[in-house]
Amino acid sequence: MPQSMLFTSESVSMGHPDKVADQISDSILDAMLADDPYSRVACETLCCTGLVVVAGEITTNTYVSIPDLVRETIRDIGYTSGDMRFDADSAGVMVAINKQSNDIAMGVDREGAGDQGMMFGYACRETPEFMPLPIDLAHRLVEQQAHVRREAIIPGLRPDAKSQVTVEYENGRPVRVDTLVLSTQHDPSWNDRQDQLKREIIENVLKPVLKDLWNPAITVHVNPTGRFEIGGPHGDTGLTGRKIIVDTYGGMGRHGGGAFSGKDPTKVDRSAAYMARYIAKNVVAAGLADRCEIQLSYAIGVAEPTSVYVDTFGTNKCDEAKISAAIRQTFGLTPKKIIEALSLRKPIYSPTARHGHFGRKCYEGHYVDRVKKQNRPERLQFFTWERVDKAEALKKLCS
């Protein structure tokens, strides 16, 4: 990194149209994995004014009512009123599903990768979650917006929102927050009261998230266009997989280009990206580097990766070749071993489709709570790819 620089990341709320599409796709995936853990799912969603289209390639031994899942997901997000021009009860649902191609299935059946491509994982010491500070704060801002909306702490907020955080770095370390942007959809009551809404957002969203990082000198923009009444899929068409930088590291780490949501774990776009994050986080947690990026690449139908690349950006505490060899000894990198190591055949994916896939916890049993209507357990747990249980093994191999 340069000696001094500003770096910006953004996030979007659960009500952003692209995230609505992601959550629908992952809800369908979860419902199928719950009854048939070996379901092959590639589910794409488009949503716009009054309409949801679900398409893709699915091979499964179970049945789920896709229209019912779509409506339940939309209702959970918060689109429940017809005056938003997109809501759970009135939206039309079209379904166009085919089975997985036999040519693809042939490669996956012999435990090879479900597609070719490269995947990246990243970790650093900027936050306790080993995430870059700009994207971590951006996620927490839209998460807090959802909280104040659902609890009516600020009445009249609607589900669509976007955040943006600019952080100043000196010598590779974050030193202060420079600029915050929070755009939040609202009902008509706020159209002529944007100054008051800005004060409410600062007190109830920005300050609670930033805590000690808050400074009155931070440049703050709240709904900088002047108002944000029209939003969600009525304001902008949503598509699955269109927020891949939001889903990962906010641009701080590289991205291989493959989206996550709606894909079962035989698709290395998703499972190998989770494994790459798992490896990178354990490398940093082991004290082997302050920043680490892992690249994995695969050929369709081939089990072993075609390459494994480690980049510590000059922050490594021992030779990178040694770190790379330790990774190969510690982690199984075939699709089958990744799925087994991270327990990826479980219905765990719906929570990932909002507020980022990395650096966070979810309620244990989240899917059971949402779909089967049982009580949500209180215990929070990290996603499996967020564990640091391999750090000691890596440290020992590199010592």
Side-chain angles (χ1 to χ4, degrees):
M1 285 186 177
Q3 283 190 338
S4 181
M5 60 175 249
L6 296 175
F7 190 88
T8 302
S9 294
E10 71 161 354
S11 186
V12 298
S13 72
M14 65 176 75
H16 185 281
D18 293 330
K19 278 291 144 196
V20 172
D22 284 347
Q23 288 165 88
I24 290 170
S25 293
D26 271 339
S27 293
I28 293 167
L29 170 65
D30 276 353
M32 293 182 174
L33 291 177
D35 288 335
D36 177 9
Y38 291 87
S39 295
R40 306 269 178 84
V41 181
C43 181
E44 312 289 343
T45 302
L46 175 148
C47 52
C48 57
T49 304
L51 178 65
V52 176
V53 179
V54 178
E57 298 76 45
I58 295 175
T59 299
T60 184
N61 290 320
T62 190
Y63 168 80
V64 300
S65 174
I66 289 177
D68 288 347
L69 272 173
V70 169
R71 296 185 191 285
E72 185 176 351
T73 303
I74 294 170
R75 186 172 290 108
D76 181 65
I77 291 168
Y79 288 112
T80 55
S81 172
D83 63 356
M84 299 187 207
R85 309 289 181 88
F86 180 85
D87 68 278
D89 295 314
S90 67
V93 180
M94 296 177 60
V95 180
I97 298 292
N98 293 308
K99 71 176 184 177
Q100 184 181 59
S101 155
N102 289 333
D103 293 347
I104 295 174
M106 186 167 54
V108 178
D109 288 343
R110 60 173 182 256
E111 300 177 355
D115 201 354
Q116 71 174 47
M118 67 279 192
M119 302 84 209
F120 289 92
Y122 181 85
C124 63
R125 293 196 174 279
E126 293 179 23
T127 66
E129 296 78 22
F130 297 87
M131 288 289 286
L133 182 61
I135 188 65
D136 185 68
L137 290 176
H139 285 325
R140 301 295 77 77
L141 288 174
V142 289
E143 194 173 52
Q144 180 70 3
Q145 185 272 349
H147 171 70
V148 300
R149 168 177 64 86
R150 289 179 147 179
E151 298 297 321
I153 295 169
I154 304 177
L157 294 189
R158 288 177 170 176
D160 195 358
K162 297 181 79 171
S163 65
Q164 187 171 289
V165 178
T166 301
V167 173
E168 182 180 3
Y169 284 78
E170 288 184 1
N171 300 315
R173 296 183 181 277
V175 293
R176 69 179 185 92
V177 176
D178 180 84
T179 305
L180 298 172
V181 182
L182 197 290
S183 296
T184 177
Q185 188 188 15
H186 54 76
D187 68 21
S189 69
W190 289 105
N191 283 347
D192 299 319
R193 297 188 296 144
Q194 292 293 311
D195 287 343
Q196 182 183 345
L197 180 59
K198 180 176 180 177
R199 290 193 294 271
E200 294 280 352
I201 291 294
I202 288 173
E203 291 302 318
N204 294 289
V205 179
L206 305 189
K207 287 183 178 179
V209 170
L210 266 71
K211 297 178 181 175
D212 293 342
L213 292 171
W214 173 257
N215 186 321
I218 294 172
T219 301
V220 174
H221 300 284
V222 174
N223 288 357
T225 64
R227 71 181 190 190
F228 187 4
E229 179 188 347
I230 299 170
H234 174 54
D236 192 9
T237 298
L239 291 171
T240 299
R242 206 159 56 174
K243 284 291 174 282
I244 59 176
I245 301 302
V246 170
D247 285 343
T248 51
Y249 309 101
M252 187 69 81
R254 284 173 281 194
H255 198 294
F260 300 157
S261 290
K263 295 179 180 177
D264 75 83
T266 66
K267 278 75 172 174
V268 285
D269 276 345
R270 184 170 216 161
S271 55
Y274 290 172
M275 176 56 82
R277 162 65 177 175
Y278 181 43
I279 297 169
K281 187 172 181 179
N282 275 272
V283 168
V284 176
L288 302 178
D290 293 331
R291 295 172 62 204
C292 181
E293 186 173 72
I294 304 294
Q295 186 201 51
L296 304 174
S297 66
Y298 291 84
I300 188 168
V302 179
E304 290 289 344
T306 56
S307 67
V308 180
Y309 175 66
V310 182
D311 187 355
T312 59
F313 308 94
T315 68
N316 51 303
K317 312 305 179 187
C318 71
D319 187 69
E320 281 187 350
K322 210 177 231 188
I323 296 173
S324 184
I327 288 169
R328 286 279 199 175
Q329 284 183 255
T330 306
F331 300 92
L333 298 177
T334 67
K336 180 182 179 182
K337 289 179 179 176
I338 291 172
I339 290 168
E340 290 173 350
L342 301 181
S343 302
L344 296 181
R345 292 202 184 276
K346 296 179 179 179
I348 57 174
Y349 298 102
S350 295
T352 67
R354 55 176 74 169
H355 311 143
H357 291 244
F358 304 121
R360 46 184 299 249
K361 299 176 181 179
C362 73
Y363 282 103
E364 188 178 40
H366 175 96
Y367 171 79
V368 170
D369 170 55
R370 280 205 343 102
V371 178
K372 298 189 176 179
K373 306 300 184 187
Q374 297 178 11
N375 291 326
R376 173 183 287 182
E378 290 301 316
R379 191 162 73 93
L380 283 164
Q381 66 171 9
F382 278 111
F383 291 108
T384 53
W385 50 91
E386 292 297 318
R387 299 174 308 195
V388 290
D389 54 333
K390 303 294 184 183
E392 286 302 317
L394 289 172
K395 188 187 296 186
K396 188 176 291 187
L397 287 168
C398 290
S399 63

